[in-house]
């Protein structure tokens, strides 16, 4: 066990373990690390933890109990560990040692400063799957006519694509080195960088001056990013998604990509996805391919593996949501899709998420929304995202009875129009309640 300075390990409870067959072994009193989060995080966590504890107590009659262990990241971490300690080593060690945990929303600086803490956790722990189930709960206000048709699960790749974080600021020596390399080694491709030379920049500036713009310097200012997508990264995501389809008896897997333009990154993701389906699951091509289907006699028989271009997918999940079931996609597409779909079923305030490495057993479930600092300490906001992320966590632990009980009670409470302010303002005849009160009502409905 790691030697922790500020993390207090519960005296009771045991670690979750994973065996050589990638099966989790969960004790009746597992120790689970949690980060309460910034902004509204403390309010949400207080309500959510109460609901989790009450549910487990009621469902299992005291035979099971979660032993919570607080770890730190974000603004609270600065007060505990000191300046600059946004993500202490102790926090990473705790998640590594205890495998499964949960977190509230964390501050994400924009433009400069520390990188996203959420992304850092995913990268350092190699949580390669961002799992985002999206479904509608009866009574939740929605901007679409038939939100009940939305029932999808997104497998978003979590470690590659633009989230690998390989990018360099415009005008920096690093960016210029890359531009110089491309110009030397791949001159034909370099010509596609519209303003990659001083000559091109100055020519455009002269055109602007010819129509009245004042003279100004026109240096080369090109930000450069690298978008890595690998076979192994794609393989493990698609394999996880298809395994999920089989386990949960889903009907199809759609590979969402922009391979018509980015042929050797996102196009390769699509091709590799079909390769995984055929070589690892025995899928056979339909009408000459590339779409394929797992045939009779094999696990997952009948599951169709298909593909869709990212931009048209964003339209079709709105106009024809029933045609989509499980989706596997590179990181950026998954970011857009998961939030767009969340809007159809009530918004990210009630959208759950999990970050998982199925091989090592590590998983962090999390709120998918921001910190909303203007509502901090008001006991006001909807705890639904963390609550439903906890439902995902309970299912991940195999505590399905507790997970199902929360979902049923949540739907019953929302159906009774007893909701937090975000839903109350959109529901006729609703009764607005505080964050913690809402959690108590859900717990009372179990």
């Amino acid at each position: 066990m790691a030697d922790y300075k500020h993390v207090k390990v519960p005296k009771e409870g045991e670690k979750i373990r994973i065996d050589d067959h990638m099966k989790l072994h969960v004790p009746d009193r597992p120790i689970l690390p949690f980060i309460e989060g910034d902004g509204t995080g403390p309010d949400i966590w207080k309500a959510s933890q109460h609901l989790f504890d009450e549910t487990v107590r009621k469902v299992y009659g005291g035979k099971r109990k979660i032993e919570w262990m607080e770890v730190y990241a974000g603004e609270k971490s600065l007060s505990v560990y000191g300046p600059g300690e946004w993500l202490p080593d102790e926090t990473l060690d705790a998640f590594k040692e205890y495998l499964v945990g949960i977190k509230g929303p964390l501050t994400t600086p924009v433009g400069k400063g520390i990188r996203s803490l959420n992304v850092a956790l995913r990268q350092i722990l190699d949580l390669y799957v961002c799992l985002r189930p999206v479904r509608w709960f009866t009574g939740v206000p929605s901007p679409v006519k038939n939100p009940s048709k939305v029932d999808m699960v997104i497998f978003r790749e979590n470690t590659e694509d633009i989230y690998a974080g390989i990018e360099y600021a415009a005008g920096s020596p690093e960016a210029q080195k890359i531009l110089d390399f491309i110009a030397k080694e791949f001159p034909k491709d370099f010509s596609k960088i519209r303003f990659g030379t001083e000559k091109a920049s100055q020519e455009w500036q002269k055109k602007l001056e010819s129509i009245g713009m004042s003279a100004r310097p026109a240096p080369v200012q090109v930000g450069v990013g690298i978008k890595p997508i690998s076979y192994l990264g794609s393989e493990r995501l698609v394999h996880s998604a298809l395994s999920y389809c089989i386990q949960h008896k889903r009907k199809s897997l759609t590979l969402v990509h922009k391979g018509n333009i980015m042929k050797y990154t996102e196009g390769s993701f699509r091709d590799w996805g079909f390769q995984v389906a055929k070589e690892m699951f025995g899928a056979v091509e339909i009408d000459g391919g590339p779409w394929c289907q797992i045939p009779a006699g094999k696990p997952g028989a009948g599951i169709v593996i298909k593909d869709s271009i990212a931009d048209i997918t964003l339209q079709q999940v709105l106009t024809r949501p029933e045609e989509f079931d499980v989706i596997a996609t590179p990181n950026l597409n998954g970011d857009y899709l998961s939030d767009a779909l969340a809007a159809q079923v009530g918004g990210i305030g009630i959208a759950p998420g999990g970050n998982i490495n199925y091989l090592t057993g590590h998983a962090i479930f999390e709120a998918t929304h921001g910190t909303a600092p203007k509502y901090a300490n008001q006991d006001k906001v909807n705890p639904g995202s963390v609550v439903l992320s906890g439902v995902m966590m309970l299912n991940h632990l195999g505590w399905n009875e507790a997970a199902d009980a929360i979902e049923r009670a949540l739907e019953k409470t929302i159906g009774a129009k007893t909701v937090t302010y975000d839903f109350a303002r959109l529901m006729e005849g609703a009764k607005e309640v505080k964050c913690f009160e809402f959690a108590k009502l859900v717990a009372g409905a179990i």
Side-chain angles (χ1 to χ4, degrees), residues 74 80 84 102 129 147 175 181 191 228 253 294 379 412 424 439 441:
V80 174
I102 190 168
V129 169
F181 173 79
S191 66
L253 173 67
I294 299 178
D379 191 26
K412 181 179 179 181
L441 289 168

Side-chain angles (χ1 to χ4, degrees), residues 209-231:
E209 291 173 13
S210 71
I211 58 172
M213 176 175 275
S214 300
R216 61 176 179 175
V220 174
Q221 290 186 301
V222 180
V224 178
I226 297 176
K227 177 188 175 78
I229 291 182
S230 68
Y231 170 75

Side-chain angles (χ1 to χ4, degrees), residues 62-74:
K63 294 180 180 179
R64 290 177 174 176
K65 181 184 178 184
I66 296 172
E67 297 292 342
W68 299 105
M69 180 175 74
E70 184 171 14
V71 297
Y72 304 94

Side-chain angles (χ1 to χ4, degrees), residues 25-183:
H25 294 268
V26 182
D28 286 339
R29 300 187 75 167
I31 296 173
L32 298 183
F34 73 92
I35 299 170
E36 67 175 7
D38 298 327
T40 56
D43 286 344
I44 292 170
W45 178 251
K46 180 182 177 182
S48 300
Q49 183 181 348
H50 171 80
L51 175 55
F52 300 149
D53 288 343
E54 282 294 291
T55 302
V56 170
R57 181 184 65 81
K58 287 184 176 183
V59 170
Y60 300 114
K63 294 180 180 179
R64 290 177 174 176
K65 181 184 178 184
I66 296 172
E67 297 292 342
W68 299 105
M69 180 175 74
E70 184 171 14
V71 297
Y72 304 94
E75 293 169 352
K76 190 171 184 178
S77 179
L78 302 180
S79 65
V80 174
Y81 290 87
E85 292 288 343
W86 291 89
L87 184 59
D89 289 341
E90 282 196 340
T91 296
L92 295 170
D93 290 341
F95 280 120
K96 289 175 183 177
E97 184 174 356
Y98 292 91
L99 296 186
V100 179
I102 190 168
K103 57 176 281 298
L106 292 173
T107 299
T108 301
V110 176
K112 59 181 180 179
I114 63 165
R115 285 195 61 206
S116 165
L117 297 175
N118 300 314
V119 174
L121 281 166
R122 298 167 192 166
Q123 291 276 351
I124 293 169
L125 296 173
D126 194 26
L127 306 176
Y128 57 87
V129 169
C130 178
L131 186 63
R132 293 284 296 270
V134 187
R135 56 158 289 207
W136 183 68
F137 288 87
T138 303
V140 172
S142 167
V144 299
K145 291 181 178 180
N146 297 300
S148 60
K149 292 183 178 181
V150 177
D151 182 11
M152 304 178 207
V153 179
I154 299 172
F155 278 73
R156 170 190 174 199
E157 206 290 319
N158 232 359
T159 63
E160 297 192 318
D161 198 5
I162 62 167
Y163 268 43
I166 308 171
E167 59 176 354
Y168 304 99
S172 69
E174 295 85 358
Q176 192 57 53
K177 282 183 180 180
I178 292 177
L179 292 173
D180 292 342
F181 173 79
I182 298 172

Side-chain angles (χ1 to χ4, degrees), residues 271-325:
D271 295 344
W272 291 330
F274 286 126
Q275 181 180 338
V276 168
K278 289 184 282 189
E279 293 182 357
M280 296 184 173
F281 293 86
V284 295
E285 292 186 349
I286 302 170
D287 297 329
W291 288 19
C292 52
Q293 187 174 32
I294 299 178
K298 292 187 177 294
I303 294 173
V304 173
I305 300 90
K306 52 188 177 177
D307 75 299
S308 181
I309 301 297
D311 44 358
I312 192 63
T313 302
L314 283 164
Q315 174 180 304
Q316 290 180 340
V317 294
L318 185 64
T319 59
R320 292 185 277 175
E322 65 275 10
E323 295 184 10
F324 295 89
D325 192 1

